[in-house]
Amino acid sequence: QVQLVESGGGSVQAGGSLRLSCAASGYTYNTYCMGWFRQGPGKEREGVAVFYTPTGWTHYADFVKGRFTISQDNAKNTLYLQMNSLQPEDTAMYYCAAEGPRYCTDPLRWLEYKYWGQGTQVTVSS
């Protein structure tokens, strides 16, 4: 079955960087729409960045444009999220999600995704 395992979270100071990884297994990796989502304390889950694995198409939420970069390593079936210039408001549990095999129809809408990892915590202090 589809499995997604995130890693790379941690605690950093404002202005710092982290790289999250999502190791995928159980399906043909390069046929799915994959994304990173986050949920802060007391907040709704929100889309951060999305990657359509067959073509490399990417899409970002406005609040991370220019700071975060989503990428993949096909050989490792792994999705990444490079996060730079982190701010306290970026503090959240970050989740990897996948849906497919199909195109990313409503990419930042978390309800579009069937498969989810367990999450990795990112904490940014001021």
Side-chain angles (χ1 to χ4, degrees), residues 8 10-20 38 64 67-68 81-92 94 122-126:
S11 297
V12 296
Q13 291 192 323
S17 298
L18 285 172
R19 188 176 80 155
L20 306 183
R38 70 185 188 184
V64 300
R67 300 190 299 128
F68 292 9
L81 185 68
Q82 177 66 45
M83 305 186 295
N84 299 327
S85 302
L86 283 162
Q87 300 301 315
E89 53 266 33
D90 295 316
T91 294
Y94 283 72
V122 171
T123 303
V124 185
S125 57
S126 57

Side-chain angles (χ1 to χ4, degrees), residues 5-55:
V5 180
E6 302 98 332
S7 61
S11 297
V12 296
Q13 291 192 323
S17 298
L18 285 172
R19 188 176 80 155
L20 306 183
S21 299
C22 172
S25 63
Y27 67 99
T28 304
Y29 174 78
N30 62 347
T31 61
Y32 276 50
C33 178
M34 297 189 71
W36 287 99
F37 295 78
R38 70 185 188 184
Q39 189 164 14
K43 297 182 179 180
E44 296 283 325
R45 187 169 298 192
E46 59 185 358
V48 176
V50 175
F51 195 104
Y52 182 51
T53 57
T55 64

Side-chain angles (χ1 to χ4, degrees), residues 1-5 22-29 31-34 77 96-101 113-118:
Q1 73 261 24
V2 175
Q3 286 194 317
L4 304 171
V5 180
C22 172
S25 63
Y27 67 99
T28 304
Y29 174 78
T31 61
Y32 276 50
C33 178
M34 297 189 71
N77 287 4
C96 174
E99 180 55 45
Y113 296 79
K114 180 177 181 180
Y115 305 104
W116 291 83
Q118 81 288 352

